[in-house]
Amino acid sequence: MTTARSGPEPAEAHVKRVKALRITAGTAAGVASLALALALTLTPESLGLPSSPALYEKVRAEDRGGEGVIVAWALLAVPVGGLLQTPVARLRGARIAAGWALLAGYWLYVLLVAVAAWQVQGLFPPPDGPGKSGGLFGALTALALATPVCAACSGAVFRPVPGEHGDTLGGQIRGHLATVALLSWSFNGVFVSMLIGRNFAFPRAGSFAMFLPGGILWGFHAGAALGVLIGARLQRAPEARAATTGVAASLARTATALLLCCLCVAQLGWILPAWAVASSGFPALIALFVLGPRSERLGHWVEFRTPELPKGGFDR
């Protein structure tokens, strides 16, 4: 007696195949764009370009080759990811034109971050100078560019219609943009706050309190507040918009309280050595979050709240 072999339904098999193709295309896009960025920035002659274009010479003169590679990779990864994910998006039944409109916006965002990074890179000392940055600026630049690059290489910009829960194309795009805005501005907040903390000079020994962990915490909350506020503006329902705006206001108040706490701790640098200021940063911030819920007035300014990502921003 024979029994029928059990196996996945045709629809399930299609979903698994498309998911595998999507992962493969995203991985190939990341590797290919990185290889091309390295070739463009390190050996441009291998691609038939002049060995010393004016822009390359300027980057080398500023000793910012690492940041140049990161920016070049991001600028290439967005269109390359879009090209490789387009055939997969057709199999998924996603909207191609809307996806490429998002890709164009993300590419412009990367370009703006690159211009801004070039303008502020002088805030960090050169790698061979006093106070060596140790690649921190490059790492922060990569964080600022990570979300749009991930959206492009993963194919998340191509939205299927209707969505998993019957969402319209406009609803899916708004949810996706809200997710990208929250992640991007959270990283950007950390980026800017750590730049400020690194160069804090009132007093100079107080920069430790403003840099770590202060810069990460108040910068993340400030950036997340802006990202959540953008997400609130993207919502159509008045009730949901009001609730999300309330979350953004809470994050902004917490960012303000954290910044004031870090500024107060930093002033210890007038009388204490740098190591003592650095050691006091962590317990001061922990005490702030412990005391916050116990005081009605302080609790209004210090709320331990985890920003929630909109559902479906990067799915399917």
Side-chain angles (χ1 to χ4, degrees):
M1 181 176 178
T2 60
T3 57
R5 296 179 61 185
S6 61
E9 296 293 332
E12 183 181 352
H14 175 74
V15 170
K16 289 184 177 180
R17 181 167 64 92
V18 169
K19 184 177 181 180
L21 289 173
R22 186 176 172 183
I23 295 174
T24 302
T27 303
V31 173
S33 57
L34 179 59
L36 186 57
L38 290 172
L40 281 172
T41 53
L42 301 180
T43 58
E45 61 276 4
S46 64
L47 300 176
L49 299 174
S51 58
S52 298
L55 180 59
Y56 295 169
E57 288 299 321
K58 194 170 183 179
V59 171
R60 289 168 182 164
E62 295 284 346
D63 201 6
R64 301 297 170 182
E67 291 88 341
V69 171
I70 293 170
V71 170
W73 169 67
L75 288 172
L76 291 168
V78 171
V80 171
L83 286 172
L84 294 182
Q85 288 288 355
T86 295
V88 184
R90 293 187 185 279
L91 293 175
R92 294 164 52 209
R95 296 297 180 90
I96 306 300
W100 275 98
L102 289 172
L103 288 170
Y106 292 155
W107 193 87
L108 289 175
Y109 165 82
V110 172
L111 186 61
L112 289 174
V113 171
V115 173
W118 179 265
Q119 296 299 321
V120 302
Q121 56 85 25
L123 296 175
F124 271 64
D128 57 349
K132 180 180 177 181
S133 63
L136 177 63
F137 189 82
L140 294 175
T141 304
L143 281 177
L145 300 177
T147 302
V149 170
C150 178
C153 291
S154 67
V157 293
F158 298 107
R159 312 304 300 178
V161 178
E164 183 179 355
H165 303 289
D167 298 331
T168 63
L169 178 62
Q172 289 189 74
I173 290 178
R174 286 193 297 272
H176 170 75
L177 288 174
T179 302
V180 172
L182 175 57
L183 292 174
S184 295
W185 282 107
S186 295
F187 288 138
N188 288 342
V190 173
F191 189 166
V192 173
S193 63
M194 292 189 77
L195 280 175
I196 294 172
R198 182 81 177 195
N199 297 274
F200 187 74
F202 302 104
R204 187 70 185 93
S207 62
F208 290 95
M210 294 292 294
F211 176 70
L212 182 71
I216 292 179
L217 286 177
W218 74 260
F220 173 80
H221 281 80
L226 180 56
V228 172
L229 182 61
I230 294 173
R233 299 299 98 186
L234 291 171
Q235 296 193 36
R236 293 287 181 86
E239 298 82 4
R241 182 183 299 179
T244 308
T245 302
V247 174
S250 173
L251 290 169
R253 290 193 298 268
T254 302
T256 303
L258 288 169
L259 175 58
L260 291 175
C261 178
C262 292
L263 285 170
C264 291
V265 174
Q267 301 314 302
L268 295 175
W270 294 110
I271 56 177
L272 297 178
W275 66 266
V277 178
S279 301
S280 61
F282 283 96
L285 292 171
I286 293 173
L288 183 65
F289 278 106
V290 171
L291 296 175
R294 300 181 180 180
S295 169
E296 182 177 353
R297 181 174 298 179
L298 184 60
H300 176 71
W301 285 90
V302 183
E303 296 181 78
F304 186 77
R305 184 186 292 271
T306 303
E308 295 184 4
L309 294 175
K311 295 180 179 180
F314 276 81
D315 68 347
R316 287 190 176 270

